[in-house]
Amino acid sequence: MDTGTISAKRHIFTMLDVDGDGVISRLEYLTRPERAAQALGRRGDDPLVAAARTAHQRVFASMDANGDGEVTFEEYAVWAGGEAFDAVCRRALGSLFDLADADADGALDREEFTRLRAALGNPADRAGSAFEALDADGAGYVGRDAYLDSIRTYVTEGASPMADALHTPAAPAPARRP
């Protein structure tokens, strides 16, 4: 594993370890769809929320290698990669995308994208740059496949334009002259 990939995995692990105790607990991970649904204005009985819960249960079962209800960074680092992404993560992350896709057209506009990324723990002020990185043709939306492919690239290669934008602080504005 190269340094970029380890760094990416560490960053994702830290985002998922909401309470910062060094492990991703089952409860911590499985409340992710609930937090996203609430932030995105979805009701708990929405079928899309139910689909997100199911997909996240599958991910947690897959990444908790020893079945103790907690995932350490070591477990996560071994587990996370292209195979796990394709087998279970794509569906889970896609279910969160679907929660944000208010008109169910398979694409997120800037506002939907920003709300989703903020709900998942990214700074909202960086979401605009991440949106632009994915909206390469300037059409004003990001498709589901492009979104998921960018996350997969980050996990497997350690970098992607969306992740770079989300994780790199904006340059400070130039000082104004009096």
Side-chain angles (χ1 to χ4, degrees):
M1 226 180 301
D2 66 45
T3 305
T5 304
I6 292 170
S7 239
K9 290 178 181 185
R10 174 68 66 191
H11 184 84
I12 295 167
F13 181 86
T14 300
M15 259 181 32
L16 297 175
D17 178 17
V18 177
D19 63 11
D21 67 352
V23 296
I24 304 166
S25 72
R26 179 176 173 75
L27 178 64
E28 203 167 28
Y29 189 77
L30 296 182
T31 57
R32 191 169 192 218
E34 308 303 327
R35 290 190 312 268
Q38 183 177 24
L40 298 167
R42 296 282 183 168
R43 294 171 36 129
D45 61 354
D46 185 316
L48 291 175
V49 176
R53 282 184 199 116
T54 299
H56 280 73
Q57 288 168 353
R58 289 184 181 133
V59 170
F60 193 83
S62 175
M63 77 176 153
D64 184 13
N66 62 6
D68 68 353
E70 295 182 332
V71 177
T72 64
F73 177 70
E74 291 72 22
E75 280 177 291
Y76 180 79
V78 168
W79 170 83
E83 186 177 324
F85 190 92
D86 296 340
V88 291
C89 292
R90 187 174 193 89
R91 180 171 288 144
L93 292 165
S95 72
L96 297 176
F97 181 99
D98 295 343
L99 292 176
D101 186 8
D103 59 5
D105 67 351
L108 301 181
D109 62 26
R110 181 182 292 269
E111 180 182 339
E112 291 169 328
F113 180 87
T114 300
R115 289 177 61 209
L116 172 61
R117 293 314 311 171
L120 298 179
N122 292 122
D125 64 338
R126 296 186 195 157
S129 297
F131 181 86
E132 290 165 9
L134 288 176
D135 182 21
D137 64 1
Y141 64 87
V142 171
R144 192 176 197 271
D145 286 340
Y147 175 78
L148 296 172
D149 291 346
S150 182
I151 297 171
R152 186 185 195 284
T153 299
Y154 183 55
V155 171
T156 60
E157 298 176 21
S160 77
M162 180 178 82
D164 293 346
L166 287 170
H167 307 144
T168 304
R176 297 180 71 184
R177 291 186 178 162

